Amino acid sequence: YCVEFRTESLSHHCALETRPYARWMQYLREGHTVCVACQPPAMSTATQRCSGDGHNAHGDKILHWEAIGNSQCQGTWKKIRQLERCSCPLVHSFIFT
């Protein structure tokens, strides 16, 4: 499944990332909608959910995220909705780890 979030805040460290495999961090923006896929092996076998997916988070609950490979690139987002069938666009798409 996938979850759509609206990025509320992010650290300036994301924009400073220059390593080739991590340049995607430069494109994160406050207010943008991002789509995050929950796939094995990030999915718990017991719950069939990914940690941090915002399950039971509704309304204005602010959730925290951190980029893999650059712990200084972090921020907050709000859950918009969960999609049982993933249709994430090629840009602004991420995977839980």
Side-chain angles (χ1 to χ4, degrees), residues 19-91:
R19 293 173 292 176
Y21 65 89
R23 284 199 183 122
W24 61 268
M25 295 178 203
Q26 296 176 0
Y27 300 101
L28 293 169
R29 297 287 183 271
E30 291 179 6
H32 280 194
T33 297
V34 296
C35 186
V36 187
C38 177
Q39 302 174 350
M43 186 181 292
S44 164
T45 53
T47 64
Q48 294 296 295
R49 304 203 67 81
C50 282
S51 175
D53 70 357
H55 185 63
N56 293 328
H58 302 288
D60 289 338
K61 185 168 183 180
I62 294 178
L63 306 167
H64 295 270
W65 58 268
E66 180 180 300
I68 295 296
N70 181 351
S71 61
Q72 293 182 318
C73 177
Q74 54 188 285
T76 59
W77 56 20
K78 290 182 183 178
K79 180 180 176 181
I80 297 172
R81 64 182 173 149
Q82 180 174 318
L83 306 167
E84 294 307 321
R85 292 181 180 257
C86 291
S87 57
C88 292
L90 293 176
V91 295

